[in-house]
């Protein structure tokens, strides 16, 4: 049996990032792009060789916060904006990829 996160992510990919909501135990998730923010962040950090510590230093926060996002806790909208800004400073291409993975086709419009 799939856990809820796997089911949610499969639904997001199947709907090509169309905005929809799924609930589990009172939580509401909104899929905007093809991936959740935590997944997009993990992918970008791994692909572009950016360490969790390097991102944390650029953001002025603890590495533990970035670690929580990296391991599946989705950052708030405010933190997503800060992540994007920090990635833009560290690697503009990585920032664009993060936005593309998280926001999907919205970025291209």
């Amino acid at each position: 049996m799939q856990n809820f996160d796997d089911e949610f992510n499969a639904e997001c990919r199947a709907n090509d990032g169309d905005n929809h909501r799924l609930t589990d135990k009172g939580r509401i998730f909104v899929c905007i792009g093809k991936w959740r923010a935590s997944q997009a962040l993990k992918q970008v950090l791994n692909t572009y060789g950016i360490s969790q510590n390097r991102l944390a230093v650029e953001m002025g926060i603890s590495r533990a916060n970035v670690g929580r996002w990296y391991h599946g806790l989705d950052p708030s909208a405010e933190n997503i904006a800060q992540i994007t800004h920090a990635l833009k400073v560290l690697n503009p291409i990585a920032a664009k990829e993060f936005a593309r993975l998280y926001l999907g086709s919205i970025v291209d419009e």
Side-chain angles (χ1 to χ4, degrees):
M1 181 176 189
Q2 281 184 318
N3 70 33
F4 180 75
D5 286 342
D6 291 340
E7 180 182 340
F8 174 77
N9 294 326
E11 284 291 325
C12 283
R13 286 188 295 274
N15 288 311
D16 197 28
D18 289 344
N19 192 1
H20 64 283
R21 300 173 195 273
L22 299 173
T23 61
D24 174 55
K25 298 179 183 175
R27 296 181 296 171
I28 297 176
F29 293 93
V30 178
C31 176
I32 297 172
K34 292 187 178 187
W35 293 6
R36 290 176 33 199
S38 59
Q39 292 176 302
L41 178 62
K42 184 175 186 174
Q43 177 69 30
V44 166
L45 294 182
N46 291 341
T47 299
Y48 294 92
I50 300 169
S51 70
Q52 294 174 39
N53 189 62
R54 190 167 168 211
L55 179 62
V57 168
E58 185 61 40
M59 292 179 70
I61 61 172
S62 75
R63 196 216 52 83
N65 286 333
V66 175
R68 283 191 278 279
W69 302 330
Y70 185 89
H71 291 290
L73 178 66
D74 281 320
S76 68
E78 179 181 333
N79 285 327
I80 290 170
Q82 293 173 347
I83 289 166
T84 305
H85 177 74
L87 287 172
K88 194 172 183 180
V89 170
L90 296 171
N91 184 329
I93 296 170
K96 285 182 181 182
E97 180 67 1
F98 175 71
R100 187 190 68 76
L101 290 172
Y102 180 59
L103 296 174
S105 62
I106 292 173
V107 174
D108 298 329
E109 295 174 359

